[in-house]
Amino acid sequence: MHLLQAKAGSVSDGSEAVDLGQTPGDIVFLTAADTEIASMALARRRCGPSFPSVRVANYLQLSHPMSVDLYVEQIVGQAKLVVARLLGGRSYWSYGVEQIAEGCRRHAVPVAFLPGDDQPDEDLSESSTVDSATYHRLWQYCIHGGPDNAYQFLQCAADSAGFGTDWLEPRPLLRAGIYWPTLETPDLVQLRTQWRAGAPVAAIVFYRALLQASNLSPVDALIDALAELGVNALPIFCASLKDPLSAELIETLLDESGAGVILNTTGFAVSSPGQRRKATPFDAACCPVLQVVLASGTESGWRTETRGLSARDIAMNVALPEVDGRVLSRAIAFKAEAEFDALCECAIVNHAVEPSRVQFVAALAANWLHLRAAPPSARRVALVLANYPNRDGRLGNGVGLDTPAGTVNALRALAANGFDVDQIPPDGDALIAHLMAGPTNAATDGREIRETLTADDYHTYFERLPDALQAAVTARWGAPEDDPFYLMDGQAFALPVLRCGSAIVGLQPARGYNINPTETYHDPDLVPPHGYFAFYLWLRHHAGVHAVVHMGKHGNLEWLPGKALALSEACYPEALLGPMPHVYPFIVNDPGEGTQAKRRAQAVIIDHLTPPLTRAESYGPLAELERLVDEYYEASGVDPRRLALLRREILELANREGLASDCGIVAEDAPDDALGKLDNYLCELKELQIRDGLHIFGESPTGPQLTDLLVALT
């Protein structure tokens, strides 16, 4: 194992063994919060040159056991006081707590392991050796935060280390409030003087620690990006969403401001996985909550890695927030070293904003607000049906879902609630017949072309995409004119869509042509062809839909190449769907694949239940044919006089229902030969039924959830 020297300007995630390069100090403070590191560094400067030496470090950089061992040997063992503030308790840094406790015991160094939140932790307090009054006081300095409490923390720590300094008790600060760049602690009345009259409101919720450390560049960037799109920002800082005072103020501000969307940058969740969901301060607002990530990694790491975020960020900023029902948007900022503090021998790390990600999140919020504000009669919605594999017999497939019938139900619900929807097919069969009359993934020749995207418009939209993406599509599939959906005589792309007034029903294009769809459906490297781009670019820029509903598990947009989450502008799901409100009815028993759509395509998942099960049996003419054939073979051994009558009835039924041609019966066949072919045909059907096992039936698969959502948009 190699031990690396930590380098200035870099942010280590602890996966490698590192030497932080610090020299011994009198007071050692360890934390996972970069905002606390910045606050302690500022407080140390305020203490003056004669103050005892202070060393500050982020213990996440000491995740590797060798890093911990070296730090305990070189720094902890020579200190006069060690304080470690542990977010999540002992389990998040168990080896570090164990070794520091042992090192402090061995060298008689007092130690305080403080909880990372405002809830007491008996395990941590029992592992500490400072007296209980000092322990509680140090903890309260950290809970209340701010420059003055950070300063008093160091004074109290120095006194506990034997330097005889004076200190004041912790001073409570506002748990939550409104922030604005040019105003000091404003209220809502003052904030409204900065707003555009009549514009929609988007709330931005962030940790109070960012305000205390003056690390507000992500919040300021969101405020500016929303303003450019005509949206008023309501920035709210809070200690925690679980803090009762913070939660009450957030709920009040959301109600009084009329916020129509919430951009939440706090991590974790109010509820706990596997337990009944708890109420959150966002619930009463009854609006989308978009999870915005302030990543703990670097921008360079994010750009080069396909996973998008570290395991730590996925847990705190993605997986746990999903328990509260938040919709993942993007990571808008990454950690970068702003300066190296010589007094504390630590890097001061701030959030560095990534402008394109801020613009995407602001646009997504604005689009949800526009959807909410538009009258139902003016809203345009696209309902997209899957088509996998690429055969007409698989149009509108969905696992556990009668997608055609569900789509008709959704169209009727829209019409009943004021949407300008008309020409609704009477049932699912009629809908499929309409779609099959137009171009599908199986064929375009001889089909009715209802909608097209001209070559000029396609080039205009396509050339707005990142250069690397354009090059990859062209390298794999050639020029747009080579695409099977390109109409040479019309200089345009044929589109598999059906208009029903302001609603559009479309077939999701195939990921490729003349390739095995089973092997390529989830291929992480196969880029989609030009026809695929033409479909989604037409929906966004030409048809101007306000929202897209992908009907049922599952389509292929969420499986296109790109990062696993926290997508960039060069990831294909984003390049195609853009910052579009996205709704996805999905079967409830497959959250793993539904998660792809949530995390890679900002989807609001509307779960539908699994349909009832029944055995697969023959039905209709096939059941009648099977009964007659069984009776024929039984009669052949018991009552041969009935054979002529049964033979005639069987062949008449086969010809009447068109089964004769399916079985390969021709006019020249003798009756017994024809019966043999029918028997073989029935045996093959039996084998298919046995192999398939159980057959799934469902009637109104969209269920009340999707209908309720569409109604709620009114």
Side-chain angles (χ1 to χ4, degrees), residues 615-628:
R615 290 201 59 82
E617 303 288 355
S618 299
Y619 59 91
L622 283 176
E624 176 66 11
L625 176 64
E626 185 176 5
R627 184 188 65 79
L628 288 172

Side-chain angles (χ1 to χ4, degrees), residues 192-530:
R192 283 196 169 102
T193 64
Q194 308 296 313
W195 283 357
R196 181 182 303 180
V201 177
I204 305 171
V205 180
F206 62 97
Y207 281 124
R208 181 185 62 167
L210 297 179
L211 180 66
Q212 294 168 339
S214 298
N215 191 2
L216 292 161
S217 58
V219 180
D220 292 342
L222 279 175
I223 294 172
D224 293 341
L226 289 168
E228 291 179 4
L229 296 172
V231 177
N232 292 326
L234 171 63
I236 306 172
F237 65 86
C238 66
S240 167
L241 296 181
K242 295 181 180 180
D243 174 58
L245 293 176
S246 297
E248 183 179 356
L249 179 61
I250 290 171
E251 190 169 346
T252 300
L253 290 173
L254 292 176
D255 177 55
E256 294 179 353
S257 67
V261 67
I262 300 168
L263 305 178
N264 177 67
T265 69
T266 69
F268 302 98
V270 174
S271 303
S272 298
Q275 299 180 7
R276 186 179 182 88
R277 184 184 181 277
K278 298 179 181 178
T280 79
F282 302 146
D283 292 350
C286 195
C287 66
V289 182
L290 305 181
Q291 183 68 13
V292 182
V293 179
L294 307 181
S296 63
T298 63
E299 182 181 346
S300 60
W302 166 74
R303 288 202 176 275
T304 56
E305 293 184 2
T306 57
R307 64 179 180 176
L309 295 173
S310 67
R312 182 169 66 249
D313 276 335
I314 292 174
M316 294 189 297
N317 294 308
V318 180
L320 287 174
E322 286 174 345
V323 176
D324 280 348
R326 303 175 204 161
V327 180
L328 181 65
S329 60
R330 299 292 185 266
I332 66 168
F334 302 87
K335 291 296 180 67
E337 183 174 325
E339 61 176 306
F340 184 82
D341 186 85
L343 285 175
C344 294
E345 296 186 3
C346 65
I348 306 300
V349 177
N350 286 332
H351 292 294
V353 170
E354 209 296 311
S356 73
R357 304 298 79 207
V358 173
Q359 293 166 7
F360 180 93
V361 171
L364 180 60
N367 287 338
W368 274 107
L369 288 168
H370 294 160
L371 177 62
R372 185 187 186 100
S377 60
R379 295 175 184 163
R380 295 180 296 277
V381 179
L383 307 178
V384 180
L385 280 62
N387 182 194
Y388 164 76
N390 307 328
R391 303 191 304 269
D392 281 352
R394 297 287 290 175
L395 293 180
N397 66 297
V399 176
L401 184 68
D402 187 345
T403 307
T407 302
V408 171
N409 286 346
L411 291 171
R412 290 172 179 165
L414 292 171
N417 288 276
F419 286 71
D420 184 18
V421 178
D422 56 21
Q423 298 181 351
I424 301 174
D427 53 36
D429 290 341
L431 172 65
I432 293 301
H434 277 296
L435 292 172
M436 286 179 61
T440 68
N441 290 327
T444 58
D445 295 339
R447 304 293 181 99
E448 179 186 354
I449 307 301
R450 305 183 183 102
E451 300 287 345
T452 61
L453 178 66
T454 67
D456 289 342
D457 285 341
Y458 177 75
H459 284 291
T460 298
Y461 303 145
F462 188 69
E463 288 169 2
R464 296 175 186 171
L465 301 174
D467 292 341
L469 188 148
Q470 295 182 50
V473 173
T474 303
R476 178 62 180 82
W477 300 108
E481 294 77 11
D482 299 331
D483 194 278
F485 280 78
Y486 189 85
L487 306 173
M488 296 301 295
D489 55 348
Q491 302 293 298
F493 280 92
L495 300 172
V497 298
L498 171 67
R499 285 189 185 267
C500 299
S502 63
I504 294 171
V505 180
L507 292 175
Q508 188 173 60
R511 284 195 63 175
Y513 310 115
N514 301 317
I515 54 178
N516 187 329
T518 304
E519 295 178 357
T520 59
Y521 203 67
H522 305 90
D523 191 329
D525 300 315
L526 179 65
V527 302
H530 291 283

Side-chain angles (χ1 to χ4, degrees), residues 10 23 60 120 126 182 199 246 262 267 350 410 416 528 532 626 668 701 710:
S10 65
T23 59
L60 295 179
E126 289 179 352
T182 58
S246 297
I262 300 168
N350 286 332
Y532 199 109
E626 185 176 5
E668 293 79 11
L710 296 172

Side-chain angles (χ1 to χ4, degrees), residues 540-603:
R540 288 172 54 193
H541 302 297
H542 200 80
V545 299
H546 292 95
V548 169
V549 180
H550 282 94
M551 294 294 295
K553 176 196 172 180
H554 63 73
N556 52 38
L557 175 76
E558 61 267 31
W559 301 95
L560 296 180
K563 299 182 185 300
L565 38 67
L567 273 59
S568 73
E569 65 275 20
C571 295
Y572 286 79
E574 176 173 323
L576 287 152
L577 188 63
M580 178 79 70
H582 183 196
V583 178
Y584 213 135
F586 211 91
I587 193 166
V588 72
N589 66 353
D590 192 2
E593 295 201 8
T595 296
Q596 287 289 115
K598 291 171 62 176
R599 297 180 179 180
R600 304 191 76 231
Q602 70 265 5

